[in-house]
Amino acid sequence: MSAVLVEDVSRTFGDVIAVNRVNLKVERGEFVTLLGPSGCGKTTTLRMVAGLEQNTGGRISIGDRVVSDAEKGFFVPPDHRQLGMVFQSYAIWPHMTVFDNVAYPLRIRRKSKAEIEQRVMATLRLVEMDKFAQRPAPALSGGQQQRVAIARALVFEPEVLLLDEPLSNLDARLRTQMGDEFRALQKRLGITSLYVTHDQEEAMALSDRVVVMHGGHILQIGAPEEIYQRPVSRMVAAFFGSPNLLDAKVSACEPEAGTRYFQLTVNGNGWQGKARASEKFEPGESVLILVRPESVRVGDQAADGALSWTGKIVSSIFRGPRTSIAIETSGVRINIEAPAILGLKVGDQVKVAVPAGGAWAIRPEDAQK
Ligand SMILES: Nc1ncnc2c1ncn2[C@@H]1O[C@H](COP(=O)(O)OP(=O)(O)OP(=O)(O)O)[C@@H](O)[C@H]1O
Ligand SMILES: [Mg+2]
């Protein structure tokens, strides 16, 4: 039994289809992230799981219990769903101490004083905030307030934790630190988490699986590495960084030994080589070849079957640990993330190659999506 099951769920606001027939399963203990551009329906999806928004189509279950069924007109309100929630604005109460903030969900559930004392302190210890129990909430840093918000969401042992951009108010360094801390806590306690962000790196660093959304639809669900290295469409590929997406034609295709993938031989404009794909292609078919900028090696001797180009550097941006360069070669422009130590300059003529496994083929009709 999954912890959260979303079946064919939609939500319309007048003419706007905010969420369009979404299907999603979150397993117990899993960390699943909804990722997508602004307005794609992430918050609406999360709010429907929470019961803060009613779905206009489909069915939502938490554990073994259906909590909303649009067709049957059945709906369980949020306070009967056993969910913890953490939002972007932590909404911790400024006039209360840390202790009272975390105790609040237990007080409204009319727990005894002794139980409240014991559970609040145990939860504060989990997030390492027990020393601050008697502090007024405003006298805390952003990261500490965030931990109080997480403690408050965890204190009544929810079945699922829902988090909507909980780190977006923090500066970049604290965001990474809090994200890593939260992931460690989530793993240690095995808290099932459904998380929303529009930050790709955050999604990849935290999640067991990422759900890429666009325009109310789900484009792809998969482990971070799968979404990043083996996207099903141009849109998913382009959602992460500035990938190279090169037009090519298939000349051969065979199953790759020991994997569920296929090996393609592809021909582009003045180049050729091998790429992998998740499905079979026929010779003569058009494909789009994804090559991540950091997968391109400068100056490497091209191995057998590797994609390779020789061209002139047309732009070079120093970024500290690495340099972003672009080379132009027979009408193809290749973006490359190269080690800064190579000292590459505009005008340099370079040879570049993509090692095996660095080229991924996408079907052009999927590429339209
Ligand atoms: N109460 C509402 N009334 C009308 N339209 C709404 C309402 N809530 C959301 N929408 C619309 O539904 C769509 C999805 O909104 P949602 O808030 O789910 O997006 P999001 O992915 O969370 O975006 P962001 O990253 O900006 O938070 C948007 O087009 C939004 O304008
Ligand atoms: Mg949102």
Side-chain angles (χ1 to χ4, degrees):
M1 179 187 44
S2 15
V4 179
L5 183 61
V6 172
E7 295 171 282
D8 232 8
V9 162
S10 301
R11 169 72 212 204
T12 53
F13 296 102
D15 297 342
V16 180
I17 308 177
V19 173
N20 197 348
R21 312 197 73 156
V22 159
N23 286 284
L24 173 65
K25 212 190 257 188
V26 183
E27 302 299 342
R28 267 177 205 289
E30 202 182 13
F31 194 127
V32 172
T33 298
L34 306 179
L35 173 70
S38 183
C40 73
K42 306 180 294 292
T43 294
T44 306
T45 303
L46 198 76
R47 286 172 59 83
M48 289 190 291
V49 174
L52 297 169
E53 203 77 74
Q54 209 161 337
N55 45 311
T56 48
R59 196 161 77 146
I60 300 171
S61 311
I62 294 168
D64 55 5
R65 200 156 68 113
V66 174
V67 290
S68 177
D69 188 328
E71 282 68 38
K72 292 191 178 142
F74 177 73
F75 183 76
V76 176
D79 48 335
H80 289 96
R81 292 194 183 190
Q82 280 293 95
L83 299 166
M85 284 176 255
V86 183
F87 297 107
Q88 179 174 4
S89 54
Y90 328 131
I92 62 173
W93 293 290
H95 57 285
M96 290 185 196
T97 61
V98 166
F99 184 96
D100 289 336
N101 262 281
V102 179
Y104 186 80
L106 300 176
R107 292 205 169 114
I108 58 171
R109 285 174 174 77
R110 303 201 170 279
K111 302 293 181 194
S112 73
K113 202 163 175 232
E115 185 182 350
I116 290 175
E117 170 73 28
Q118 186 269 324
R119 281 171 67 171
V120 169
M121 289 316 292
T123 312
L124 284 175
R125 272 194 295 278
L126 274 182
V127 296
E128 292 173 18
M129 287 295 291
D130 46 317
K131 289 191 297 295
F132 298 93
Q134 294 315 321
R135 269 265 181 113
L140 296 172
S141 73
Q144 290 166 337
Q145 292 189 28
Q146 185 59 27
R147 278 189 255 177
V148 174
I150 290 171
R152 193 180 55 190
L154 288 177
V155 76
F156 61 96
E157 294 171 6
E159 285 182 58
V160 181
L161 198 54
L162 305 176
L163 306 104
D164 193 354
E165 312 237 10
L167 306 177
S168 59
N169 278 346
L170 306 176
D171 67 48
R173 186 201 294 255
L174 197 54
R175 192 157 65 224
T176 309
Q177 187 196 330
M178 283 299 300
D180 294 350
E181 277 179 22
F182 177 63
R183 174 59 162 155
L185 180 72
Q186 183 273 338
K187 269 192 179 158
R188 187 152 51 88
L189 303 180
I191 315 159
T192 308
S193 303
L194 185 57
Y195 191 96
V196 163
T197 183
H198 62 267
D199 183 315
Q200 297 89 336
E201 286 191 22
E202 193 174 297
M204 285 191 285
L206 298 181
S207 321
D208 292 312
R209 285 188 304 147
V210 177
V211 179
V212 184
M213 293 184 71
H214 183 87
H217 286 283
I218 292 179
L219 297 178
Q220 189 171 358
I221 304 181
E225 202 212 337
E226 194 176 335
I227 298 278
Y228 185 77
Q229 304 287 10
R230 302 186 288 280
V232 294
S233 65
R234 178 198 288 267
M235 205 173 253
V236 176
F239 193 59
F240 298 92
S242 327
N244 299 292
L245 289 159
L246 311 167
D247 292 315
K249 283 235 181 315
V250 176
S251 61
C253 172
E254 51 196 55
E256 190 181 81
T259 75
R260 59 187 175 90
Y261 302 112
F262 292 86
Q263 274 281 353
L264 309 184
T265 306
V266 297
N267 292 288
N269 184 8
W271 56 272
Q272 64 153 36
K274 291 209 186 314
R276 299 170 92 197
S278 59
E279 51 186 323
K280 193 169 188 300
F281 283 82
E282 298 303 327
E285 275 193 272
S286 296
V287 277
L288 200 62
I289 302 298
L290 163 69
V291 174
R292 292 280 174 200
E294 70 279 12
S295 301
V296 185
R297 301 269 182 276
V298 180
D300 267 16
Q301 204 55 42
D304 200 24
L307 278 55
S308 66
W309 298 270
T310 302
K312 204 197 260 179
I313 298 179
V314 291
S315 83
S316 170
I317 302 168
F318 179 71
R319 299 194 192 277
R322 58 187 207 284
T323 302
S324 303
I325 63 169
I327 69 162
E328 233 160 48
T329 160
S330 59
V332 187
R333 188 185 167 100
I334 314 276
N335 296 317
I336 303 166
E337 294 292 315
I341 198 166
L342 295 179
L344 300 162
K345 295 183 305 295
V346 171
D348 288 353
Q349 189 81 12
V350 290
K351 205 176 167 67
V352 303
V354 181
W360 179 251
I362 299 169
R363 210 174 265 289
E365 56 262 36
D366 292 334
Q368 304 307 316
K369 283 187 209 154

